Amino acid sequence: MCTALAYKTKDFYFGRTLDYESSYGEEIVITPRQYPFAFRNGAKCNEHYALIGMAHVAGGYPLYYEAVNEKGLGMAGLNFVGNACYGKEKEGKDNIASFELIPWILGQCSTVKEVRELLEKINVTNLAFHESFPVSPLHWLIADEKETITVEAVEEGLFVYDNPVGVLTNNPPFPQQMFQLNNYMHLSPKQPKNLFSERLKLQTYSRGMGALGLPGDLSSASRFVRAAFTKLNAIATQKEEDSVGQFFHIMGTVEQSKGCCEVKEGAYEYTIYTSCCNASKGIYYYTTYFNHQINAVDMHEEDLDGKKVVVYPVLQEETIHYQNKTQKD
């Protein structure tokens, strides 16, 4: 289960948590402009926008979990089990396998407006990358600095929804995620007033009581509400460090601790990593469950006209800064 987020201060930021019971060997991957993408529909793309994001590289091919391109467009795929439905190829459509959708869109679109036009021609197919890689049931958050959309391929067809909150979790389908916000319209960062009864002298007894009722469980429906409330009320200065730090604080409200969500006997879902990409500058920040230090990879420090993917390992070991450590043998 995961949460994805679009956030704007001076620059535009895009990122997600990856919550699962095991890692698939993900790495920070930069795909330069001349990496040759060969799509299953026979199309080849030898020149495209450069991408940076988290991916599992299989046989030299980047299977992106999420990425942004050099134009500032971001896209993340989140589990959508029980609802995602991909079909067979359709004549007259751009038949794109689900694992190809991120490079297909980010490789040629610079804005959400262009994505909308491209999606009108797309049919998401159920082809697997390899027989050892099962097809992942996903839906997607796509955003630039001006707008955000959610894309869902379900049994009834491919749907594109405006996403005014800039948040996506897993289930239920996005329209139902948005509808449930009606149940929380009373929440506020301000202290509540007594509307219960004029006959009772009720009063607040703690700070933060305006958010009483904000769901705190780990379900995707509750994480959507919690992330939306936090994001829409969080404030940050225009400084890069403040914006990045605030992004990670927002995502911290939906992080999962190992041991709290058992998915099968002895296996627990936890937040494997959290990412925050400054999409305006192409800087990919991340933390992991075992390393809370914010680490960064800048795509513009690499040769973006190259032909091979550039891979950086995810730093997993915790880094602790001692302010008064004495050297001891």
Side-chain angles (χ1 to χ4, degrees), residues 30 33 35 41 43 77 79 90-91 104 127 132 139 156 175 189-190 216 218 224 232 248 252 261 292 300-301 304 314:
I30 299 169
R33 300 179 186 116
Y35 171 87
N41 64 4
N79 259 343
K90 292 182 179 179
E91 189 174 347
W104 178 265
L127 290 176
S132 61
H139 60 173
E156 294 79 10
K190 298 181 179 180
L218 300 178
F224 180 83
L232 294 173
F248 280 101
C261 179
H292 290 83
H300 294 287
E301 291 294 319
L304 296 185
V314 174

Side-chain angles (χ1 to χ4, degrees), residues 8 52 81 83 116 147-148 151 161 227 238 245 265 268 276 293 324:
K8 179 78 166 65
I52 184 170
V81 178
N83 286 295
R116 290 180 188 272
E147 59 178 325
T148 304
V151 178
Y161 301 103
Q238 302 297 300
E265 186 68 30
Y268 300 92
C276 165
Q293 175 177 285
N324 64 341

Side-chain angles (χ1 to χ4, degrees), residues 18 20-27 56 65 270 272-273 314 316:
L18 180 73
Y20 209 62
E21 64 268 26
S22 60
S23 168
Y24 283 93
E26 55 275 350
E27 300 171 296
H56 171 69
Y65 305 0
Y270 65 101
I272 294 173
Y273 74 84
V314 174
Q316 297 284 5

Side-chain angles (χ1 to χ4, degrees), residues 16 18 22-31 51-68 102 133 272-275 277 284-288 295-298 308-316:
R16 59 97 58 80
L18 180 73
S22 60
S23 168
Y24 283 93
E26 55 275 350
E27 300 171 296
I28 299 94
V29 179
I30 299 169
T31 302
L51 317 178
I52 184 170
M54 192 72 79
H56 171 69
V57 179
Y61 188 95
L63 296 165
Y64 276 109
Y65 305 0
E66 89 281 345
V68 300
I102 288 179
F133 289 69
I272 294 173
Y273 74 84
T274 303
S275 67
C277 190
Y284 187 91
Y285 302 94
Y286 73 95
T287 62
T288 72
N295 301 286
V297 176
D298 187 341
K308 295 182 179 180
V309 295
V310 180
V311 177
Y312 284 90
V314 174
L315 303 179
Q316 297 284 5

Side-chain angles (χ1 to χ4, degrees), residues 17-306:
T17 62
L18 180 73
D19 307 321
Y20 209 62
E21 64 268 26
S22 60
S23 168
Y24 283 93
E26 55 275 350
E27 300 171 296
I28 299 94
V29 179
I30 299 169
T31 302
R33 300 179 186 116
Q34 296 186 52
Y35 171 87
F37 277 114
F39 297 95
R40 295 297 174 88
N41 64 4
K44 293 184 178 180
C45 186
N46 294 324
E47 285 196 47
H48 47 78
Y49 295 134
L51 317 178
I52 184 170
M54 192 72 79
H56 171 69
V57 179
Y61 188 95
L63 296 165
Y64 276 109
Y65 305 0
E66 89 281 345
V68 300
N69 67 17
E70 61 183 296
K71 296 297 183 179
L73 181 68
M75 183 171 177
L78 282 71
N79 259 343
F80 195 38
V81 178
N83 286 295
C85 182
Y86 314 135
K88 297 180 179 180
E89 293 188 357
K90 292 182 179 179
E91 189 174 347
K93 287 283 189 177
D94 291 332
N95 294 292
I96 308 300
S98 58
F99 69 86
E100 301 174 320
L101 198 59
I102 288 179
W104 178 265
I105 288 176
L106 294 187
Q108 57 187 311
C109 295
S110 61
T111 64
V112 170
K113 181 180 178 181
E114 292 179 3
V115 174
R116 290 180 188 272
E117 296 173 358
L118 193 66
L119 287 169
E120 292 179 359
K121 301 179 289 183
I122 285 178
N123 171 50
V124 183
T125 69
N126 58 2
L127 290 176
F129 176 76
H130 187 268
E131 61 182 12
S132 61
F133 289 69
V135 178
S136 298
L138 304 172
H139 60 173
W140 296 269
L141 186 73
I142 307 175
D144 60 24
E145 65 176 358
K146 294 182 179 179
E147 59 178 325
T148 304
I149 58 174
T150 295
V151 178
E152 295 183 341
V154 295
E155 187 175 358
E156 294 79 10
L158 186 68
F159 291 88
V160 180
Y161 301 103
D162 292 333
N163 186 329
V165 298
V167 173
L168 186 65
T169 56
N170 309 99
N171 284 308
F174 182 70
Q176 293 168 248
Q177 291 193 17
M178 283 296 298
F179 181 81
Q180 70 172 334
L181 294 182
N182 290 296
N183 296 326
Y184 301 95
M185 66 173 70
H186 61 282
L187 299 185
S188 170
K190 298 181 179 180
Q191 290 291 77
K193 296 180 180 180
N194 177 19
L195 301 177
F196 190 88
S197 173
E198 295 179 355
R199 298 166 59 186
L200 299 175
K201 293 184 178 180
L202 302 179
Q203 59 186 8
T204 58
Y205 53 85
S206 171
R207 293 181 177 182
M209 293 181 67
L212 275 176
L214 182 67
D217 63 86
L218 300 178
S219 68
S220 55
S222 293
R223 284 186 286 104
F224 180 83
V225 176
R226 197 158 65 250
F229 176 80
T230 308
K231 179 220 165 172
L232 294 173
N233 288 288
I235 57 175
T237 71
Q238 302 297 300
K239 293 182 179 179
E240 176 75 351
E241 294 81 3
D242 291 345
S243 297
V244 172
Q246 188 67 296
F247 191 102
F248 280 101
H249 281 302
I250 296 168
M251 298 304 271
T253 66
V254 295
E255 285 184 356
Q256 298 196 40
S257 299
K258 186 180 289 189
C260 294
C261 179
E262 188 176 48
V263 294
K264 57 185 177 182
E265 186 68 30
Y268 300 92
E269 185 171 274
Y270 65 101
T271 300
I272 294 173
Y273 74 84
T274 303
S275 67
C276 165
C277 190
N278 182 327
S280 305
K281 293 185 170 68
I283 304 173
Y284 187 91
Y285 302 94
Y286 73 95
T287 62
T288 72
Y289 192 82
F290 299 103
N291 183 358
H292 290 83
Q293 175 177 285
I294 299 175
N295 301 286
V297 176
D298 187 341
M299 71 187 299
H300 294 287
E301 291 294 319
E302 307 297 332
D303 178 13
L304 296 185
D305 288 317

